[in-house]
Amino acid sequence: MSDLRLPVAAVILLGITQIIGYGTLYYSFSILAPAIARDFGHSTEWIFALLSCALLAGGLAAPWIGKAFDLFGAGKVMCFGSVVASLALIICSLSSGMGSFAVCLLMLEVAANLVQYGAAFALLVQLQPAAATRSITYLTLIAGFASTLFWPFTSALHSWMTWQEIYRLFAVLNFAICFPAHLWLAGQLSRSRRQQNISAGPRAEIPGLLAPDRRRQGFLLMAFALSTQALLSSAILVHMVPLLTALGLGGIAVIAGSLFGPSQVASRLINMLFGRDLSPLALAIISAVLMAIAPVALLLGAPSIASAMLFACVFGFGNGLYSITAGTLPLHLFGSAGYGVLQGKVISARLVSSAFAPFALAFLLANAGTTISLLLLGFLGLISIGAFLAIDRR
């Protein structure tokens, strides 16, 4: 029964570090990108192109990072990631041109893979395999406040601070808060492993649902479906505020976009309270349906404020469940043995597929308009639904 206990302290600490990690390393970028582009004398599209290249580099590095989760323990990797993220933010703030900024941004996105959801999920699986599905659900419930806090927080800071000063402040947050938390978690994981080896031998593994002869096909379908969702999520999250602004919402864009975070939290809370009998695969299908509906709802209702709020809420519901299934679906289908390596491969597929999403959507918005852009986003959602249904048939 001890393995079924939720590691409450670990979940809370990881929730805090995920809020800071996603808020400083991801959500803030769309707010600061126009100022960065202005300072370097380039268009905003090119700044997002740099982000796409950095995401691609992070995706290519992810399989090795996944191996490090299993080899060294996810806690130690997250400690290292906090230090690298802090250094990358400081160096970014000191960049004198596009070339040096591009190198720093690449470093920043690789560091993000060391501290964000993939690493946190691996740590929870390593800490308590039997309770990992519940732990991941609770963690995503807390971390869902990242966008709600950091979009308005970054916007407020930017009204009286430069983007360079904001990056230095974010570096302090990563080092002063995230690093000590990850250090404590690494110690907890090491102690847990030592106690398990002394008292009861090897920790019991969680078996996967798929039969061995169906795992290769199952993994390819799962990676494709999650990658398609990641592409859709990346495109919208980076451009949430600019997209709503382009539809004529002006200052309401940040407020409407901020509903995304509470919606994520609400979907996870509803799932936690009433969705215990739903499998991770069923949640994945529901998530894909919601993410496909959201851009179409915005297109049909624009430019009304109500449609913008509905879009942010529905997309938040879908993305909230997606964040859960990205961690629980691999565990459900393939089990806990080698989970770190598996997460590394999934993260790689997701990041590589979505690497060009920020630049692509920025280009589409500038050259094809919002209607075509939103229709294409809805189509991506339909593709992911089909892939999940194909897994369900197996």
Side-chain angles (χ1 to χ4, degrees):
M1 290 298 292
S2 62
D3 281 345
L4 295 175
R5 288 203 303 264
L6 197 73
V8 177
V11 171
I12 292 173
L13 281 177
L14 282 173
I16 294 170
T17 67
Q18 292 304 288
I19 289 173
I20 294 173
Y22 274 97
T24 60
L25 305 178
Y26 189 72
Y27 288 120
S28 64
F29 192 83
S30 64
I31 306 296
L32 302 178
I36 296 171
R38 247 188 342 265
D39 282 1
F40 291 141
H42 288 272
S43 67
T44 304
E45 287 85 356
W46 280 109
I47 298 298
F48 282 111
L50 291 181
L51 177 62
S52 294
C53 293
L55 289 171
L56 179 60
L60 295 175
W64 286 273
I65 294 173
K67 291 179 182 178
F69 294 155
D70 284 341
L71 184 61
F72 303 109
K76 292 179 181 177
V77 175
M78 295 184 84
C79 287
F80 177 68
S82 297
V83 175
V84 175
S86 301
L87 289 174
L89 285 164
I90 291 173
I91 299 172
C92 272
S93 72
L94 300 174
S95 299
S96 57
M98 281 284 282
S100 58
F101 180 79
V103 174
C104 298
L105 192 60
L106 185 149
M107 179 181 172
L108 199 65
E109 290 309 317
V110 172
N113 286 337
L114 300 172
V115 298
Q116 291 179 344
Y117 271 154
F121 294 161
L123 192 148
L124 290 173
V125 170
Q126 291 170 357
L127 191 62
Q128 284 287 28
T133 297
R134 290 171 57 225
S135 298
I136 289 171
T137 301
Y138 281 97
L139 171 62
T140 56
L141 180 66
I142 300 170
F145 287 104
S147 61
T148 306
L149 294 173
F150 270 86
W151 271 332
F153 178 54
T154 306
S155 296
L157 287 176
H158 201 29
S159 65
W160 59 281
M161 295 173 69
T162 65
W163 66 268
Q164 292 95 334
E165 292 169 335
I166 292 172
Y167 267 8
R168 288 168 202 151
L169 174 61
F170 287 171
V172 172
L173 292 179
N174 277 274
F175 189 76
I177 298 176
C178 296
F179 176 71
H182 293 155
L183 188 63
W184 183 85
L185 288 164
Q188 288 294 105
L189 181 57
S190 296
R191 282 190 290 274
S192 174
R193 285 178 163 179
R194 283 196 301 269
Q195 291 171 2
Q196 184 69 21
N197 290 335
I198 293 171
S199 64
R203 186 183 296 276
E205 301 288 355
I206 304 301
L209 185 66
L210 286 177
D213 61 333
R214 296 194 174 189
R215 291 198 165 195
R216 179 174 174 78
Q217 281 188 339
F219 175 78
L220 292 175
L221 284 169
M222 180 189 72
F224 177 74
L226 292 175
S227 298
T228 306
Q229 282 191 289
L231 199 158
L232 173 59
S233 178
S234 176
I236 290 181
L237 288 180
V238 171
H239 291 286
M240 175 79 79
V241 174
L243 180 65
L244 295 176
T245 302
L247 291 170
L249 290 162
I252 304 297
V254 173
I255 298 174
S258 294
L259 294 174
F260 166 80
S263 299
Q264 283 197 123
V265 175
S267 69
R268 293 163 186 169
L269 182 60
I270 291 170
N271 173 59
M272 186 178 68
L273 295 175
F274 305 108
R276 293 190 177 186
D277 294 332
L278 288 174
S279 71
L281 185 54
L283 285 180
I285 294 171
I286 295 170
S287 167
V289 170
L290 291 170
M291 292 175 74
I293 290 173
V296 178
L298 179 62
L299 179 62
L300 294 176
S304 76
I305 295 174
S307 69
M309 296 172 69
L310 178 64
F311 160 72
C313 290
V314 173
F315 186 75
F317 291 148
N319 202 74
L321 297 179
Y322 165 66
S323 298
I324 296 174
T325 57
T328 60
L329 187 59
L331 182 65
H332 176 68
L333 296 177
F334 304 98
S336 60
Y339 180 85
V341 172
L342 187 65
Q343 263 295 324
K345 292 179 180 178
V346 172
I347 291 170
S348 179
R350 286 163 52 197
L351 288 179
V352 169
S353 70
S354 64
F356 296 100
F359 173 72
L361 185 55
F363 181 83
L364 280 172
L365 288 171
N367 295 278
T370 55
T371 298
I372 292 177
S373 299
L374 290 171
L375 286 174
L376 287 174
L377 292 174
F379 181 68
L380 287 175
L382 290 177
I383 292 175
S384 62
I385 294 170
F388 284 130
L389 289 174
I391 296 174
D392 188 49
R393 285 196 295 272
R394 281 158 179 75

